[in-house]
Amino acid sequence: MSKKIFAGFIITLIFASFAFAADLDKVVARVNSQDITEREVLLFLQPFGQQAIMLYQTPQGRKMVLDDVISLRLFAIEGEKAKLDETKEFKDALESTRRAMLAQSAMREILKDVKVDDSEAKKFYDENKQSFMQPERVHARHILISGDADELAQKIISDLKAGASFDVLAREYSQDPGSKTNGGDLGEFPRGVMVADFEKAAFALEKPGDISEPVKSQFGIHIIKLEEKIPESPAPFEQVKDRIMQELREKKTQELLKSRSEELEKVYKVERF
């Protein structure tokens, strides 16, 4: 089986075990005395991906999805009335769907015990830390003042050199609404995020507590304080653990399905033309 087909089956299996499992037989609508259940809605949503399932969990999305499923049931009733289910094309399509559902059920049974624990994820992390590297970053604060403010910028720097609190001056003078109330704190950021002149000045600072000369940008004049310089390093394990576990789970799934498929080819006669 190709990787693309495996991926399709994996997605199907993920959706089949989604949160709807709580009550798949719940009747959500009725058309011409025929029940429509949560199970049928889930099957309808599968090809559209996780976003469609999340949409169904909202009141507006639920109505939209149910309207579509009800429309399909109405057309199905009309098709049955016209005896379209007796045509060769319909019977062939039905048989193809039956085989696909049997295959999915068989694979679900094979994969029911696939698990990844924290120790496996940690081992993978320790052996592949280069894959989780974070670039060099700085943690900085700034005071932003706009307009013709060179004199004010120099006054602020003089006050800072005299021992004034950067936090207090940022709250008093900064015109950046996003960081003003946090004492000018911008958090951590790598290269390529801030405007060029600001970035150059921030990364040029060497020691925690260092303060830049006034830096001009299209936003105004910045005075930057370095809180911490963080060298390139791996992301913490806890930050990437869920992603690793998901990747390992998918890898195990693909390997197990491939292995089982190869075994089955030895059991059943396969001819390729």
Side-chain angles (χ1 to χ4, degrees), residues 91-106:
K91 291 178 179 178
D92 288 347
L94 188 63
E95 178 59 18
S96 177
T97 301
R98 187 186 74 87
R99 289 197 188 105
M101 292 182 69
L102 279 171
Q104 291 166 16
S105 295

Side-chain angles (χ1 to χ4, degrees), residues 6-35:
F6 270 126
F9 279 126
I10 290 167
I11 290 171
T12 300
L13 292 169
I14 290 171
F15 283 131
S17 60
F18 200 71
F20 287 94
D23 191 1
L24 289 173
D25 295 321
K26 178 183 177 183
V27 176
V28 294
R30 188 169 289 117
V31 179
N32 201 36
S33 300
Q34 297 179 11
D35 291 343

Side-chain angles (χ1 to χ4, degrees), residues 23-231:
D23 191 1
L24 289 173
D25 295 321
K26 178 183 177 183
V27 176
V28 294
R30 188 169 289 117
V31 179
N32 201 36
S33 300
Q34 297 179 11
D35 291 343
I36 296 174
T37 64
E38 290 277 21
R39 188 187 308 277
E40 184 171 347
V41 175
L42 177 59
L43 290 171
F44 169 75
L45 290 174
Q46 278 183 16
F48 303 106
Q50 186 174 358
Q51 286 186 339
I53 296 215
M54 299 303 291
L55 175 66
Y56 180 64
Q57 294 180 315
T58 67
Q60 184 179 2
R62 182 178 179 85
K63 181 181 184 305
M64 290 170 57
V65 171
L66 281 178
D67 285 348
D68 286 344
V69 174
I70 288 168
S71 291
L72 283 177
R73 180 61 67 89
L74 290 168
F75 281 114
I77 292 171
E78 186 69 8
E80 188 174 30
K81 181 180 176 182
K83 298 187 177 179
L84 298 179
D85 55 339
E86 297 178 11
T87 64
K88 182 179 184 304
E89 291 81 3
F90 180 88
K91 291 178 179 178
D92 288 347
L94 188 63
E95 178 59 18
S96 177
T97 301
R98 187 186 74 87
R99 289 197 188 105
M101 292 182 69
L102 279 171
Q104 291 166 16
S105 295
M107 286 189 291
R108 193 176 303 117
E109 183 66 21
I110 292 169
L111 298 172
K112 66 182 181 181
D113 295 324
V114 171
K115 293 181 178 64
V116 176
D117 59 34
D118 285 6
S119 63
E120 290 177 89
K122 185 63 165 62
K123 182 174 184 292
F124 182 88
Y125 171 82
D126 290 339
E127 293 174 353
N128 297 274
K129 284 188 178 180
Q130 288 300 316
S131 300
F132 305 104
M133 295 300 289
Q134 294 180 320
E136 179 188 23
R137 306 177 307 287
V138 294
H139 177 191
R141 296 174 183 267
H142 82 146
I143 298 170
L144 172 66
I145 49 180
S146 59
D148 186 10
D150 291 333
E151 289 187 11
L152 177 57
Q154 289 300 332
K155 176 186 182 305
I156 292 171
I157 288 179
S158 296
D159 289 347
L160 290 169
K161 288 179 178 178
S165 164
F166 195 98
D167 183 296
V168 171
L169 293 182
R171 293 172 191 272
E172 181 178 353
Y173 292 111
S174 183
Q175 295 172 357
D176 175 9
S179 66
K180 177 184 177 76
T181 56
N182 295 324
D185 195 346
L186 297 170
E188 297 177 9
F189 54 89
R191 296 181 189 275
V193 174
M194 302 297 186
V195 294
D197 289 338
F198 183 97
E199 175 187 292
K200 182 179 179 181
F203 277 86
L205 298 172
E206 296 181 355
K207 302 186 301 296
D210 282 356
I211 295 171
S212 73
E213 291 300 316
V215 178
K216 291 187 177 181
S217 77
Q218 64 262 46
F219 300 106
I221 299 175
H222 309 263
I223 299 165
I224 307 167
K225 177 185 178 184
L226 179 66
E227 293 289 330
E228 183 182 9
K229 205 161 193 175
I230 307 156

